[in-house]
Amino acid sequence: MTQEDFLVIGAGLAGSEAALTLANAGARVKIFEQKPKVFSAAHKLPGAAELVCSNSLKSTELSSAHGLLKEELRLLNSPLIELAHQARIPGGKALTVEREKFSSLVTTALKSHPLITFCEEQVSELPEDKKTLIASGPLTSDGLIKNILKICNDDGLYFYDATSPVVYLESLDMEKLFWANRWDASGLDESKDDYLNLPLNREEYLKFRENVLAAEKTESHIAGEELAYFEGCLPIEELARRGEDTLAFSCMRPIGFQSHLPKRAHAVIQFRRERAAGELLNMVGFQTRMKWPEQEKVFRQLPGMEKAEFARLGAMHRNTFINSPLHLNEKLQIKRAPHLFMAGQITGSEGYTEAIATGHYAAMAMLGAENLPATTAMRSLVRYMITSDPKHFQPMNFNFGLLPELGFKIKERGQKKQTKSERNQIRSERSLKDLKEWISEPKSQMPFKNSWSKTA
């Protein structure tokens, strides 16, 4: 391939999305991925776009924040959203994928694209003038993060994250569990439901919490460093520590199962299918930093899990991110080095869909596209990242609170007061209306084609 137009560092969700978006617009791209030569503490698969903590990209409903974000990406012809649908497995109203298949599809798309050169090598030095996207993720190598922070003249920020265990279905005692999707009254039909549920009475719940608190935990990776967490994805040990019923009101909340739940149930553990065949189940919301022998001990004391076998146990890792309000502008360029762009979790955008969104957003900026409408989810997420108080900046999932105010009181639009879901639907409709108008409008001259224009 001739001289490339852009470089992309990292073939995670953000980097893969950006590389394919750039190439689909006619640009020549070289993407660097350190795997399979070098693996981080959390990655296991050799290919691109590996999902680490969960296999769900969350809700597809337009009354949900993640549903809106995915719909915007779909309208903009997001390569990874399309591939995620190809790798989709049952997961209720969520876009849940088979991890290995999704990674394989993305890897093939990158390696087979005629305008993309895929380089399996680790990068530590940054180019001095070539337009480059840094999408190396929260587990960026020491050498690269030192160079990024040197350019930013900053020490950087961090938080500790963890993954959930994955258990073999056949090792569970099915007499003590039931199949049902939360808020779905379709009945106890295994063929129709995507979640397996383990109900606990109050005594069982309190014993489980006691065991979690007593278990030996993994400490911080740097001696003496505080274990700072991302509030949107707390490990179960931290939830248990915060109060007697905090777990029961978060990842173990016993609501939405109608008559399926036993009357004495105080909490519920949910398992989500990890693969299409359903032989592997992910423990939903059970990120944990318990040491591996302790996890097996604690979980096997739960009813129905006495003989549980694990395909993967939970693990903790340290995530690094930059102080985006100080260092990035609205195009996700580093202010001190405008030829360098950043996207993904390293910027402080938290979540799978958010990583894809910031990767797509950065690619559009690199192509010279005009800014997206201020009312869109993608623009609002970036606005949060670059305008927050740098003294208190923390990772954030996209939520409806990041959108601009509507400018009118929703309850005045009809005779009855709308529900939260209906109000969110109205917000989504405004965002999508403005985005569709933006897509259909003629654009100023760009050096590359509009890869999103075919939806006009």
Side-chain angles (χ1 to χ4, degrees):
M1 189 173 77
T2 57
Q3 183 70 16
E4 64 279 345
D5 299 299
F6 302 108
L7 303 179
V8 175
I9 301 174
L13 293 171
S16 297
E17 174 74 10
L20 289 167
T21 299
L22 292 167
N24 288 344
R28 298 160 298 181
V29 183
K30 181 180 286 187
I31 184 169
F32 297 88
E33 170 55 48
Q34 66 178 11
K35 297 189 300 180
K37 294 179 180 179
V38 179
F39 283 85
S40 74
H43 291 91
K44 308 296 181 186
L45 300 179
E50 179 179 355
L51 305 184
V52 174
C53 296
S54 166
N55 66 329
S56 173
L57 275 68
K58 298 187 178 180
S59 177
T60 57
E61 294 187 291
L62 292 182
S63 58
S64 76
H66 282 88
L68 170 59
L69 197 57
K70 279 192 281 293
E71 181 61 13
E72 287 187 4
L73 284 163
R74 188 192 69 79
L75 289 172
L76 291 167
N77 300 314
S78 162
L80 262 63
I81 292 299
E82 179 181 344
L83 293 173
H85 279 278
Q86 293 180 28
R88 190 173 189 177
I89 58 175
K93 296 175 181 178
L95 177 53
T96 305
V97 304
E98 186 172 323
R99 297 178 202 246
E100 292 87 348
K101 182 176 180 180
F102 178 63
S103 175
S104 177
L105 288 171
V106 176
T107 304
T108 299
L110 289 167
K111 291 186 175 182
S112 63
H113 201 294
L115 294 178
I116 294 178
T117 299
F118 193 102
C119 301
E120 295 176 341
E121 61 182 86
Q122 192 175 49
V123 174
S124 58
E125 300 293 332
L126 293 168
E128 296 183 359
D129 54 6
K130 176 73 68 175
K131 279 191 174 183
T132 300
L133 176 66
I134 304 168
S136 47
L139 300 174
T140 296
S141 66
D142 290 342
L144 182 54
I145 194 63
K146 286 179 181 178
N147 277 292
I148 295 170
L149 296 177
K150 182 179 179 180
I151 290 173
C152 293
N153 192 27
D154 195 1
D155 294 330
L157 303 170
Y158 76 93
F159 69 93
Y160 279 87
D161 198 3
T163 57
S164 302
V166 174
V167 64
Y168 288 99
L169 170 62
E170 63 182 9
S171 68
L172 302 178
D173 182 354
M174 296 302 293
E175 292 185 1
K176 299 176 182 177
L177 297 92
F178 65 92
W179 292 96
N181 295 338
R182 200 185 296 272
W183 306 116
D184 185 355
S186 60
L188 299 176
D189 183 351
E190 179 180 340
S191 65
K192 295 181 180 178
D193 295 300
D194 313 316
Y195 291 86
L196 186 62
N197 305 277
L198 172 58
L200 303 179
N201 60 36
R202 182 164 181 79
E203 181 181 353
E204 293 166 336
Y205 167 79
L206 292 176
K207 180 62 177 176
F208 171 69
R209 176 177 178 267
E210 178 185 323
N211 290 339
V212 168
L213 292 173
E216 190 176 0
K217 321 288 193 306
T218 301
E219 298 302 325
S220 61
H221 295 181
I222 299 175
E225 184 175 69
E226 178 189 359
L227 281 171
Y229 299 114
F230 169 52
E231 286 292 320
C233 191
L234 293 171
I236 57 172
E237 299 81 21
E238 178 63 14
L239 290 169
R241 185 192 67 80
R242 292 187 179 189
E244 186 173 275
D245 275 325
T246 304
L247 278 167
F249 281 91
S250 53
C251 62
M252 298 177 67
R253 65 188 191 281
I255 57 174
F257 296 104
Q258 288 75 35
S259 61
H260 306 336
L261 204 62
K263 292 182 179 180
R264 296 182 63 242
H266 184 75
V268 171
I269 297 173
Q270 277 204 301
F271 302 80
R272 181 179 53 238
R273 296 181 192 273
E274 181 74 9
R275 292 181 177 172
E279 74 273 17
L280 295 180
L281 300 171
N282 187 292
M283 297 185 71
V284 180
F286 267 60
Q287 301 82 220
T288 177
R289 67 181 187 91
M290 289 187 286
K291 291 189 174 180
W292 287 353
E294 295 286 87
Q295 290 182 45
E296 293 181 325
K297 177 182 176 182
V298 169
F299 291 131
R300 285 174 182 158
Q301 292 184 56
L302 289 166
M305 294 189 69
E306 294 88 350
K307 298 180 180 180
E309 295 294 334
F310 297 89
R312 187 192 73 191
L313 290 163
M316 186 178 73
H317 46 273
R318 186 184 190 275
N319 289 351
T320 301
F321 61 106
I322 66 164
N323 199 332
S324 291
L326 284 180
H327 305 304
L328 300 183
N329 63 20
E330 64 180 2
K331 293 186 180 298
L332 297 183
Q333 293 169 291
I334 298 179
K335 296 174 185 178
R336 292 166 61 96
H339 67 290
L340 299 177
F341 296 72
M342 300 193 74
Q345 284 184 283
I346 195 171
T347 64
S349 64
E350 181 62 24
Y352 291 155
T353 309
E354 289 84 348
I356 297 172
T358 55
H360 197 102
Y361 185 101
M364 293 175 69
M366 295 169 79
L367 290 167
E370 300 171 8
N371 283 337
L372 291 171
T375 54
T376 58
M378 290 172 65
R379 180 81 179 277
S380 298
L381 176 62
V382 172
R383 184 167 54 245
Y384 163 79
M385 291 160 49
I386 65 172
T387 63
S388 294
D389 182 354
K391 294 182 179 179
H392 305 287
F393 180 61
Q394 288 292 314
M396 176 77 81
N397 294 108
F398 171 70
N399 60 80
F400 283 111
L402 300 182
L403 294 174
E405 294 184 5
L406 285 171
F408 60 86
K409 293 182 179 180
I410 296 176
K411 64 181 180 181
E412 295 178 353
R413 296 188 69 187
Q415 297 299 315
K416 66 174 184 177
K417 185 176 181 179
Q418 282 91 352
T419 64
K420 180 180 179 181
S421 178
E422 290 171 334
R423 294 195 298 272
N424 289 341
Q425 184 79 24
I426 293 171
R427 294 184 174 97
S428 291
E429 289 171 358
R430 177 190 65 169
S431 300
L432 297 174
K433 174 179 177 293
D434 291 350
L435 178 59
K436 289 175 183 177
E437 290 178 356
W438 181 91
I439 292 172
S440 65
E441 291 172 356
K443 298 295 184 292
S444 58
Q445 186 66 33
M446 289 173 53
F448 300 96
K449 67 181 181 181
N450 297 344
S451 62
W452 51 90
S453 61
K454 67 183 180 183
T455 59

